[in-house]
Amino acid sequence: QVYVVFSEELQCWCRALVESVRHQADGCQFGCFLVDYAKYCSVASENIRVLAGPFAKIPYRAKKCRLYCTKPLTLHIDYCEDTAKIGPAKRWDTAAIQHFRKLLE
């Protein structure tokens, strides 16, 4: 279900999908994905409302996606044998992320 949340960063009300809920001493914090800005944010429980009527039917401007079957790789360097090989990694390197963003631009 799509909700309306107030984004402190954008200083406006935005449509969002709630992805997580964290209970704290002073209330709940919702982890949200802003469907029109492709951003993630954390929102306090007093800044969330149910989206009413025809506004819920407007298509999202942003879509979540991922690269199909693309796995992160990194350069493994063996100083003892003086070799370097490309192999699988658990996470994407910062340099790879920056290169991908440049390609998108």
Side-chain angles (χ1 to χ4, degrees):
Q1 182 175 350
V2 180
Y3 293 92
V4 178
V5 300
F6 186 78
S7 168
E8 295 290 336
E9 179 185 350
L10 300 171
Q11 288 297 305
C12 65
W13 290 89
C14 308
R15 294 185 300 163
L17 294 173
V18 175
E19 295 194 337
S20 65
V21 179
R22 290 184 305 277
H23 297 281
Q24 298 176 339
D26 59 344
C28 292
Q29 284 287 113
F30 294 90
C32 299
F33 176 73
L34 305 180
V35 297
D36 293 319
Y37 295 94
K39 291 182 178 243
Y40 291 92
C41 69
S42 184
V43 177
S45 57
E46 61 267 7
N47 290 334
I48 188 166
R49 308 282 188 275
V50 175
L51 184 62
F55 293 110
K57 296 178 183 173
I58 298 172
Y60 306 155
R61 291 181 61 199
K63 293 185 182 196
K64 287 191 221 177
C65 61
R66 66 177 109 181
L67 298 174
Y68 181 72
C69 290
T70 303
K71 307 237 187 256
L73 298 174
T74 191
L75 187 63
H76 297 282
I77 299 172
D78 187 346
Y79 292 106
C80 296
E81 296 182 19
D82 198 29
T83 60
K85 297 178 184 175
I86 293 179
K90 293 180 182 177
R91 302 178 61 174
W92 288 100
D93 293 342
T94 305
I97 294 168
Q98 290 173 351
H99 177 69
F100 182 70
R101 287 184 178 158
K102 286 180 185 176
L103 290 174
L104 288 176
E105 290 174 357

